[in-house]
Amino acid sequence: MKTRPALAMIAAALLGTTPAHAAERIADPFDRADASFSRYPLNLRSTPQAIGRLVNGDVCDDDEGIACEWEDEKGVRHIFAGDTLAIKLVDTAMRGDRPIAALGIGTARSRADVLAGVRALLPEIAVDCLEPGKAGEGPGIASCSGSFDNGGWFKLLFGPDNRLTSARIDAFQIN
């Protein structure tokens, strides 16, 4: 399995240590975005139980295509493809007005403010938005997304009031 350059920093975070260069900005935009969601690295093998609690245990079955979601101590949900962490997501309804570290969102909830935070964290990534009716996410839902060179991407959903409803990052396409 391919390792990423920021793996040492992520491993240090998992072990509770801080390498000398931890204060530096993570160079790779995918790794930077990934680390903003949680300390558990995408696209690597992991044990779901190490992340936290299973939040949909009565309705999930990975073998049947209903993804099991594992929530960490900060409320970020993690979804696996086999034993590889594939998706991280944040539901703003669960977070309320508490800051969201993912993608530099912080306390922003309006589309303009959220996108400003994302662009500050990921200036090298183009963010494209689709308005309700074109986003394919349901009535009144707009989406904004960006792609990484490694095939990963992120997506932000905004409700009819133009306020953030969810943020997610995917390491790869899951079918």
Side-chain angles (χ1 to χ4, degrees), residues 30 42-43 86 146-154 169-173:
F30 176 79
L42 285 168
N43 214 17
S147 299
F148 302 100
D149 288 342
N150 68 352
W153 71 93
F154 67 87
I169 186 169
D170 291 54
F172 49 82
Q173 180 67 42

Side-chain angles (χ1 to χ4, degrees), residues 1-5 7 10 14 28 30-31 33-35 37-47 51 78-88 148-153 169-174:
M1 179 169 284
K2 180 182 165 190
T3 60
R4 300 190 319 245
L7 190 55
I10 294 168
L14 288 171
D28 182 83
F30 176 79
D31 291 339
D34 178 13
F37 274 82
S38 78
R39 62 186 177 146
Y40 305 99
L42 285 168
N43 214 17
L44 294 176
R45 290 182 174 183
S46 185
T47 304
I51 289 172
H78 299 72
I79 299 171
F80 286 76
D83 60 357
T84 301
L85 183 54
I87 300 170
K88 297 179 187 181
F148 302 100
D149 288 342
N150 68 352
W153 71 93
I169 186 169
D170 291 54
F172 49 82
Q173 180 67 42
I174 298 177

Side-chain angles (χ1 to χ4, degrees), residues 57-98:
D58 293 341
V59 294
C60 75
D61 185 343
D62 288 331
D63 293 331
E64 295 295 320
I66 303 170
C68 298
E69 297 181 13
W70 300 85
E71 187 176 71
D72 70 11
E73 69 281 355
K74 294 182 179 178
V76 176
R77 296 195 176 188
H78 299 72
I79 299 171
F80 286 76
D83 60 357
T84 301
L85 183 54
I87 300 170
K88 297 179 187 181
L89 58 101
V90 176
D91 179 352
T92 58
M94 302 299 290
R95 300 287 306 155
D97 59 356
R98 292 181 295 169

